[in-house]
């Protein structure tokens, strides 16, 4: 991991953007407009913690207004700074464009260590931050819609919604002011696992491409692939779960305090419970301890999934990486220097702003649900089941044969909310993979998949800006 004090995450995003923009037809003015952050809100606000007043630093950045609302998570971490929030907001613009989610990119963050505060204190902080966003119109179902990110989850999203609704009484679409909410507060089934599931669908799609696998000297498909996951948070945990269920082997799970290794495969749920009981993934029964997370990244494997924070693989450790595929589940885990090394080494990097777009895709479904005020499947589930029951009865009567109960239940089943969300996400990830790969194939000069993904994104945002014109 880089210890370089001059490191700029936004600078890295700009570098990747510039590298890709050469493969597009847009003039420099449009490119500059796409690249810059449109609005930056930087705030300090006081919160009473115990007997003391703490002044907290926070941000919300809206990178692009080519579509409305803006969309992106809110992060709680001591590493939060303006440069990081700007970079993450920019990635959200490109991410939404790639998966055809009609939002501009945004991101927010509060510079705190959430572990140092009680739930009551975190609620106060979250509510005050939301009030600050409301004051400047930096939140609302039609303007800017936050979601969970590193250090936040459903609980914080519920507090945001409640604060917003209290300050905007009677606003009929208020539930759409934030996504990633608990189901009871207008959340959608499948949102929690969405990013990890999207990571799985995306890598599976690439692994199902025989020509791509042949180049990497790997067999086609997911089964028996040796996978390392760095970060056992929500994204890493669910990515590991879906890979294990598809018969891949999770040979190593890495956390900030070290990693565990078992070549026969680890079960993420058992490891999670062990961590809950002991405070660490280390000393997991049957697994070997590895001293640092950084060492784990360099182990031999087929697929490496960094699912923690940005900037974990740079020009220093990239030469030691032995994976054949790197799936960026986190935002910005690789620096542009690492990218150059992997191009030379023939390692396939599946880029973040496409691969971890599952979260925002399902956020889009949640937002649509909130605006329509009805649960997915409510209107058609029973109707489908009634029609299917009738069809089965007709088939049995006409053939004089019985369909077995398992098959019958499968055919009859009308789609529930979670079925529709999963299928919408799968369709989205398959479509995006093919769009990026087609772009890359059409232009063999494009050096890597990240650049191809940027080209796809820049073209979509550019087309939007061109059609919009410049106001006034
Ligand atoms: N924080 C997630 C991301 O980086 C989700 C954003 C959203 O759902 O708006 O993609």
């Amino acid at each position: 991991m880089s210890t370089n004090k001059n490191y700029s995450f936004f600078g890295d995003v700009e570098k990747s953007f510039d590298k890709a923009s050469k493969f597009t037809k847009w003039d420099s003015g449009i490119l500059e407009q796409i690249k810059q952050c449109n609005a930056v809100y930087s705030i300090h606000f006081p919160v009473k913690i115990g007997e003391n007043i703490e002044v907290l630093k926070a941000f919300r950045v809206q990178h692009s207004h080519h579509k409305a609302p803006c969309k992106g998570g809110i992060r709680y971490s001591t590493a939060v700074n303006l440069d990081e929030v700007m970079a993450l907001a920019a990635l959200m613009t490109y991410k939404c464009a790639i998966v055809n989610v009609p939002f501009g990119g945004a991101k927010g963050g509060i510079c705190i260590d959430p572990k140092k505060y009680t739930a009551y204190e975190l609620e106060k902080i979250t509510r005050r931050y939301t009030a600050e966003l409301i004051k400047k119109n930096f939140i609302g179902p039609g303007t800017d819609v936050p979601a969970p990110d590193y250090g936040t989850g459903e609980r914080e999203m519920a507090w945001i919604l409640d604060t917003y609704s209290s300050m905007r009484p009677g606003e009929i679409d208020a539930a759409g002011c934030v996504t990633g909410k608990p189901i009871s507060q207008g959340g959608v089934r499948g949102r929690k696992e969405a990013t990890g599931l999207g990571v799985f669908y995306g890598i599976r799609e690439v692994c199902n491409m025989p020509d791509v696998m042949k180049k990497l000297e790997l067999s086609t498909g997911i089964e028996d692939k040796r996978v390392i996951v760095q970060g056992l948070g929500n994204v890493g945990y669910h990515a590991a779960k879906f890979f294990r269920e598809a018969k891949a082997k999770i040979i190593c799970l890495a956390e900030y305090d070290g990693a565990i290794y078992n070549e026969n495969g680890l079960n993420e749920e058992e490891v999670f419970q062990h961590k809950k009981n002991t405070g660490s993934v280390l000393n997991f029964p049957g697994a070997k301890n590895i001293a640092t997370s950084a060492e784990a990244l360099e182990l031999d494997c087929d697929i490496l999934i960094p699912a923690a924070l940005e900037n974990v693989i740079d020009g220093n450790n990239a030469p030691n990486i032995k994976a054949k595929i790197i799936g960026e589940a986190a935002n910005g885990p690789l620096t542009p220097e690492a990218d150059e090394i992997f191009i030379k080494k023939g390692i396939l990097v599946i880029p973040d702003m496409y691969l971890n777009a599952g979260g925002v895709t399902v956020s889009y479904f949640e937002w649509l649900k909130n605006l329509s005020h009805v649960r997915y499947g409510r209107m058609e589930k029973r109707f489908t089941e009634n029609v299917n029951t009738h069809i089965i009865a007709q088939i049995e009567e006409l053939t004089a044969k019985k369909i077995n109960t398992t098959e019958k239940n499968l055919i009859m089943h009308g789609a529930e909310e979670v079925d529709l969300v999963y299928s919408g996400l799968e369709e989205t990830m398959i479509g995006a993979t093919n769009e990026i790969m087609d772009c890359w194939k059409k232009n063999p000069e494009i050096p890597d998949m990240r650049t191809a993904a940027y080209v796809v994104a820049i073209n979509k945002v550019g087309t939007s800006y061109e059609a919009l014109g410049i106001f006034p």
Side-chain angles (χ1 to χ4, degrees):
M1 184 169 166
S2 173
T3 46
N4 179 2
K5 286 205 183 75
N6 297 324
Y7 166 74
S8 162
F9 188 6
F10 188 66
D12 278 359
V13 173
E14 288 192 299
K15 272 189 209 158
S16 300
F17 181 98
D18 293 341
K19 185 171 155 190
S21 61
K22 295 189 196 92
F23 300 99
T24 70
K25 63 173 175 59
W26 303 103
D27 72 54
S28 55
I30 291 266
L31 288 171
E32 192 59 18
Q33 168 57 19
I34 299 173
K35 202 159 86 168
Q36 293 305 334
C37 290
N38 286 5
V40 174
Y41 186 28
S42 174
I43 32 177
H44 284 91
F45 57 82
V47 183
K48 190 122 190 254
I49 304 291
E51 287 308 304
N52 303 320
I53 291 172
E54 283 188 28
V55 179
L56 304 178
K57 189 167 66 183
F59 308 93
R60 183 75 184 169
V61 171
Q62 298 177 346
H63 173 259
S64 178
H65 292 147
H66 74 291
K67 302 258 177 202
C70 292
K71 188 84 189 80
I74 289 176
R75 176 173 284 216
Y76 289 179
S77 152
T78 49
V80 162
N81 61 62
L82 183 57
D83 173 76
E84 182 191 65
V85 181
M86 283 167 64
L88 293 166
L91 285 175
M92 285 307 302
T93 294
Y94 309 133
K95 190 184 298 196
C96 291
I98 287 169
V99 290
N100 294 321
V101 163
F103 296 145
K107 204 74 166 201
I110 309 182
C111 185
I112 50 163
D113 176 358
K115 291 197 195 78
K116 289 209 177 123
Y117 296 93
T118 63
Y120 172 68
E121 290 162 352
L122 282 171
E123 181 172 349
K124 272 173 76 166
I125 294 169
T126 306
R127 286 183 183 278
R128 178 62 196 248
Y129 174 69
T130 310
E132 296 292 332
L133 296 182
I134 295 170
K135 273 195 221 165
K136 289 279 192 270
N137 215 14
F138 265 72
I139 183 171
T143 49
D144 190 345
V145 183
D149 201 89
Y150 189 82
T152 59
E154 284 184 357
R155 182 182 66 169
E156 286 73 15
M157 302 307 116
W159 293 333
I160 291 173
L161 170 60
D162 187 58
T163 311
Y164 183 86
S165 321
S166 320
M167 293 177 74
R168 295 259 194 272
E171 194 175 302
I172 187 86
D173 290 329
C177 79
V178 62
T179 60
K181 303 179 291 290
I183 305 290
S184 64
Q185 304 304 306
V188 73
R189 288 159 188 84
R191 174 63 183 85
K192 201 167 180 185
E193 63 271 39
T195 310
L197 181 58
V199 167
F200 168 72
Y201 284 147
I203 298 179
R204 184 196 66 185
E205 229 18 59
V206 174
C207 287
N208 281 342
M209 295 178 165
D211 51 332
V212 179
M213 289 300 103
K214 201 169 157 208
K215 263 197 215 143
L216 297 170
E217 295 175 358
L218 286 172
S219 60
T220 307
I222 287 291
E223 207 171 321
D224 287 333
K225 292 270 184 307
R226 295 164 310 137
V227 180
I228 296 178
V229 179
Q230 187 212 25
L232 201 59
N234 179 42
V235 180
Y237 171 87
H238 283 107
K241 173 178 184 281
F242 292 111
F243 271 96
R244 179 185 52 75
E245 286 175 357
K247 299 197 169 60
K249 274 196 194 121
I250 310 297
I251 58 167
C252 178
L253 286 170
E255 277 270 271
Y256 57 91
D257 57 346
I260 49 170
Y261 180 89
N262 183 340
E263 61 182 7
N264 298 319
L266 295 157
N267 179 305
E268 75 298 328
E269 178 53 28
E270 290 169 10
V271 176
F272 181 77
Q273 289 307 332
H274 171 80
K275 185 185 159 187
K276 218 166 136 189
N277 297 336
T278 66
S280 167
V281 295
L282 297 174
N283 303 319
F284 181 71
K288 198 172 97 189
N289 284 343
I290 291 167
T292 63
S293 180
E295 271 175 74
L297 295 173
E298 298 178 8
L299 295 173
D300 186 38
C301 67
D302 299 319
I303 304 172
L304 172 63
I305 304 181
L309 282 172
E310 60 261 23
N311 186 28
V312 292
I313 303 176
D314 60 13
N316 296 321
N317 59 351
N320 307 331
I321 302 288
K322 294 175 197 69
K324 296 198 168 164
I325 298 174
I326 301 176
E328 292 185 310
N331 286 308
L334 273 56
T335 64
E337 291 71 35
D339 273 348
E340 295 307 324
I341 293 167
F342 293 141
I343 291 170
K344 286 203 193 96
K345 285 179 80 169
I347 292 175
L348 176 69
V349 176
I350 310 184
D352 49 2
M353 82 254 207
Y354 141 73
L355 193 64
N356 68 27
V360 76
T361 301
V362 176
S363 274
Y364 172 46
F365 301 156
E366 179 176 333
W367 181 77
L368 291 173
K369 173 185 179 178
N370 296 148
L371 298 191
S372 64
H373 300 263
V374 64
R375 163 172 57 82
Y376 287 107
R378 178 167 175 184
M379 303 302 283
E380 62 271 36
K381 177 177 160 53
R382 190 66 51 184
F383 179 81
T384 311
E385 288 183 355
N386 289 342
V387 171
N388 290 350
T389 307
H390 199 71
I391 294 171
I392 288 173
Q394 283 296 303
I395 293 173
E396 287 185 337
E397 196 184 310
L398 291 171
T399 59
K401 283 185 183 149
K402 287 272 172 223
I403 297 175
N404 77 49
T405 316
T406 318
E407 284 302 315
K408 206 183 262 183
N409 288 340
L410 215 70
I411 300 168
M412 268 169 52
H413 178 76
E416 314 255 5
E417 181 162 90
V418 72
D419 301 321
L420 294 167
V421 164
Y422 277 27
S423 108
L425 177 59
E426 187 173 10
E427 167 66 13
T428 302
M429 292 309 291
I430 293 174
T433 316
N434 288 320
E435 228 177 311
I436 297 168
M437 288 310 205
D438 284 353
C439 165
W440 197 3
K441 272 182 205 148
K442 268 188 213 136
N443 193 342
E445 304 270 283
I446 293 177
D448 53 12
M449 193 172 170
R450 186 188 316 282
T451 308
Y454 265 98
V455 170
V456 170
I458 294 170
N459 282 340
K460 287 185 186 173
V461 182
T463 305
S464 212
Y465 274 126
E466 188 181 49
L468 281 173
I470 305 286
F471 176 82

